[in-house]
């Protein structure tokens, strides 16, 4: 690839699994933290990567829901102790 020949790196930020599938290395971020990383090693990389995006989004959504439930429980507990 031309990028390797020139010794350069391209950083692309996207939510599009198809666009990300052109990369040799993909980092998955959530709330400013790297939560997963993959390298091009699957035969059907685009389909696999799309599945990874979906799985990680579901995992992230579940963690956010759990955090929101904990916040709500704490708020209810605080309110009950004040009342």
């Amino acid at each position: 690839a031309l990028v390797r020949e020139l010794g350069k790196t391209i950083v692309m930020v996207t939510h599009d699994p198809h666009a990300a599938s052109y990369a040799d290395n993909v980092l998955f971020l959530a709330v400013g933290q790297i939560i997963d990383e993959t390298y091009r090693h699957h035969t059907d990389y685009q389909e696999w990567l799309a599945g990874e995006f979906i799985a990680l989004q579901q995992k992230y959504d579940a963690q956010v829901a759990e955090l929101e439930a904990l916040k709500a429980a704490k708020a209810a507990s605080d309110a009950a102790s004040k009342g």
Side-chain angles (χ1 to χ4, degrees):
L2 183 60
V3 172
R4 283 189 204 93
E5 290 173 23
L6 296 175
K8 303 292 180 188
T9 298
I10 295 174
V11 176
M12 173 176 55
V13 178
T14 184
H15 292 265
D16 181 0
H18 180 72
S21 71
Y22 288 95
D24 292 326
N25 183 16
V26 177
L27 300 175
F28 297 91
L29 297 135
V31 195
Q33 301 292 319
I34 296 172
I35 61 169
D36 203 359
E37 179 176 8
T38 186
Y39 299 92
R40 180 182 291 272
H41 61 277
H42 293 273
T43 52
D44 192 357
Y45 189 68
Q46 289 181 340
E47 184 176 326
W48 177 83
L49 190 60
E52 280 293 293
F53 267 80
I54 292 167
L56 285 169
Q57 184 64 51
Q58 291 171 342
K59 180 180 175 183
Y60 174 74
D61 290 346
Q63 289 174 341
V64 168
E66 183 179 342
L67 182 59
E68 291 299 322
L70 289 171
K71 286 181 183 179
K74 181 168 180 358
S77 175
D78 290 349
S81 65
K82 289 180 182 179

